[in-house]
Amino acid sequence: MSTTNNIAQARKLVEQLRIEAGYERIKVSKAAADLMSYCEQHARSDPLLVGVPTSENPFKDKKPCIIL
Amino acid sequence: MGEIEQMKKEAEALKTQIEAARKAVHDTDMASAASGVAPAPRVQLKTRRTLKGHLAKIYAMHWSTDNRLMVSASQDGKLLIWDSHSGNKVNAVPLKSSWVMTCAYAPSGNLVASGGLDNMCTVYNLKTPVIKTVKELDAHTGYLSCARFLSDTEVLTASGDTTCALWDLETGKQKTVFLNHVGDCMCLSLSPDMNSFVSGACDSLAKLWDIRDGQCKQTFLGHTSDINAISFYPGGNAIITGSDDCTCKMYDLRADQEVISYQDAALNSGVTSLALSMSGRLIFAGYDDFNCNIWDSLKGEKVGVLSGHDNRVSCTGVPPDGMCVCTGSWDSFLKIWN
């Protein structure tokens, strides 16, 4: 019956919202500080951020071999 | 008061409560907090490879964990496995259905998967002398928008039927079905610790799920249209989403809310795909306007653009070692940049 379905749906929505309402949130300032700290710690080993030296670049342009 | 009326009232009260709780911890936003951080350098990447081989629009690509091989899917009805270093095609997998929307590489490198308008996820073994179909995962009642391997025995899928599912590859059956979205699920991303995943859907919501108990733990609001792309931030405490509303957003999981939006008044194309650099600092977002814009994830500024495709950028991916970014397009080409 559609009424039973509607009640079931409404119940499910309330149950889900109860779970989400119970979540313990931290302050955005703390969350942001942790994210910034992560980026800083890993920046030096981020090839796209610091650049890839040609000698170490597996995708460097292939130059044709010249046989002298 | 009828039971339904009572529950509607309770639902509204809970929504108000959640909104208030989020506001209470909103003592700053990401851009303000990062105002003292040095700007990311202007990022100018060059096309190192243009992979030609597909004969129609490319819809998806995924890197192997070996940082070298990758799989791409095109509506020409093929999966192609590429050696990105040489630019050569290593394998071609003909698809039963050419209406493919997603592809995935297993972490082991042994298997790949594809799926699309056939509503199925098909898994192939690359290591048998001839590539064989290992399983057809058939239970979704809508298109397959995204698939990801947890291992050689488990696959996660997202579907247009509004559900996500965890499959056992040995039995071919769904172990867990993740029910809560009210719109087509368009994308998913596994957490670094593999205990949870996030999904984005056409209901404009992103949701965090516990893989083992099937429960939706958190819901993220803010987008005003379909979420087409989603990715965990390295470290696992935040997610980035890309939407048809032309913005990308970062949601912090522990603050349970949006902390920054990546947008520009001049940008009025939807976001189709996104990938993060290894530290998370750079976001590579593919758009309908044929470009891939590069965003500073902390400061919210655009720091570069990858131009070169002649049609929509439909997929982007950064390999685990972060050495490059790959873009795939409706122009039938894949490009590797660094």
Side-chain angles (χ1 to χ4, degrees):
Chain A
M1 287 205 76
S2 76
T3 333
T4 333
N5 267 346
N6 286 343
I7 293 184
Q9 264 180 345
R11 230 177 249 146
K12 226 194 150 210
L13 176 61
V14 168
E15 272 165 27
Q16 180 60 35
L17 287 169
R18 278 190 195 141
I19 290 173
E20 293 180 15
Y23 190 76
E24 288 210 18
R25 296 163 185 84
I26 67 168
K27 286 215 187 296
V28 174
S29 52
K30 164 91 174 100
D34 288 352
L35 286 170
M36 289 177 345
S37 168
Y38 186 96
C39 275
E40 202 193 340
Q41 273 172 40
H42 293 85
R44 252 155 290 133
S45 50
D46 184 340
L48 290 169
L49 195 57
V50 303
V52 183
T54 317
S55 53
E56 291 165 32
N57 189 354
F59 305 104
K60 68 171 175 265
D61 304 318
K62 293 176 281 192
K63 289 196 170 30
C65 286
I66 302 167
I67 300 173
L68 298 167
Chain B
M1 197 185 296
E3 201 184 341
I4 286 203
E5 282 312 304
Q6 227 174 323
M7 286 194 283
K8 274 190 187 165
K9 247 194 127 193
E10 190 179 349
E12 286 314 304
L14 285 165
K15 283 183 190 170
T16 308
Q17 188 188 324
I18 291 171
E19 208 189 310
R22 283 177 174 153
K23 264 212 177 87
V25 297
H26 192 85
D27 55 349
T28 185
D29 62 47
M30 188 70 233
S32 309
S35 55
V37 174
R42 186 93 206 141
V43 182
Q44 279 165 323
L45 305 182
K46 293 204 180 118
T47 304
R48 301 293 177 187
R49 299 277 184 276
T50 297
L51 305 179
K52 305 181 190 197
H54 280 300
L55 304 173
K57 294 175 174 168
I58 291 172
Y59 274 80
M61 61 81 46
H62 195 214
W63 283 96
S64 164
T65 51
D66 74 359
N67 300 304
R68 181 173 182 142
L69 298 177
M70 33 176 269
V71 60
S72 61
S74 162
Q75 294 203 346
D76 64 4
K78 288 214 168 46
L79 290 185
L80 290 179
I81 315 286
W82 306 85
D83 173 342
S84 62
H85 290 185
S86 65
N88 293 333
K89 294 176 245 338
V90 170
N91 268 316
V93 185
L95 304 174
K96 256 197 211 168
S97 162
S98 63
W99 304 112
V100 65
M101 294 174 68
T102 184
C103 60
Y105 225 120
S108 65
N110 295 330
L111 309 170
V112 287
S114 68
L117 295 184
D118 59 355
N119 298 359
M120 289 193 318
C121 179
T122 308
V123 179
Y124 310 87
N125 188 335
L126 294 178
K127 303 296 187 174
T128 43
V130 177
I131 296 176
K132 268 179 20 165
T133 300
V134 164
K135 269 291 182 291
E136 283 177 342
L137 307 176
D138 190 2
H140 279 302
T141 54
Y143 58 82
L144 203 83
S145 53
C146 193
R148 284 294 179 258
F149 286 88
L150 276 78
S151 66
D152 280 5
T153 54
E154 287 183 309
V155 171
L156 258 179
T157 55
S159 168
D161 67 10
T162 79
T163 74
C164 295
L166 176 68
W167 302 77
D168 179 331
L169 284 183
E170 275 153 7
T171 61
K173 300 272 182 268
Q174 290 179 331
K175 285 210 279 209
T176 313
V177 182
F178 303 90
L179 300 164
N180 211 265
H181 277 297
V182 295
D184 302 13
C185 292
M186 298 303 293
C187 50
L188 68 89
S189 175
L190 257 178
S191 67
D193 69 9
M194 309 258 281
N195 291 327
S196 50
F197 73 96
V198 284
S199 59
C202 292
D203 55 14
S204 71
L205 303 173
K207 286 179 181 284
L208 174 76
W209 308 85
D210 180 311
I211 288 187
R212 299 303 153 195
D213 70 18
Q215 185 66 55
C216 170
K217 299 294 191 203
Q218 290 173 258
T219 298
F220 302 97
L221 289 71
H223 279 297
T224 53
S225 187
D226 306 356
I227 295 177
N228 298 315
I230 197 164
S231 177
F232 258 93
Y233 207 77
N237 283 333
I239 61 172
I240 312 282
T241 52
S243 165
D244 272 349
D245 68 11
C246 313
T247 75
C248 293
K249 289 179 189 293
M250 179 195 284
Y251 295 92
D252 186 277
L253 299 186
R254 296 178 305 161
D256 186 45
Q257 59 190 274
E258 177 184 331
V259 295
I260 191 170
S261 188
Y262 309 96
Q263 58 192 80
D264 188 314
L267 274 177
N268 51 18
S269 304
V271 180
T272 60
S273 51
L274 65 90
L276 300 176
S277 72
M278 250 184 88
S279 66
R281 188 68 193 265
L282 301 175
I283 301 170
F284 297 90
Y287 290 72
D288 286 343
D289 70 0
F290 309 178
N291 287 329
C292 180
N293 289 313
I294 310 174
W295 297 91
D296 177 337
S297 67
L298 299 180
K299 295 174 91 74
E301 297 159 351
K302 211 172 92 163
V303 295
V305 66
L306 302 177
S307 300
H309 283 293
D310 295 324
N311 206 323
R312 176 185 291 197
V313 173
S314 55
C315 48
T316 48
V318 171
D321 67 0
M323 286 293 274
C324 67
V325 54
C326 178
T327 52
S329 166
W330 279 10
D331 68 7
S332 81
F333 302 123
L334 295 144
K335 286 179 183 288
I336 309 246
W337 315 71
N338 72 9

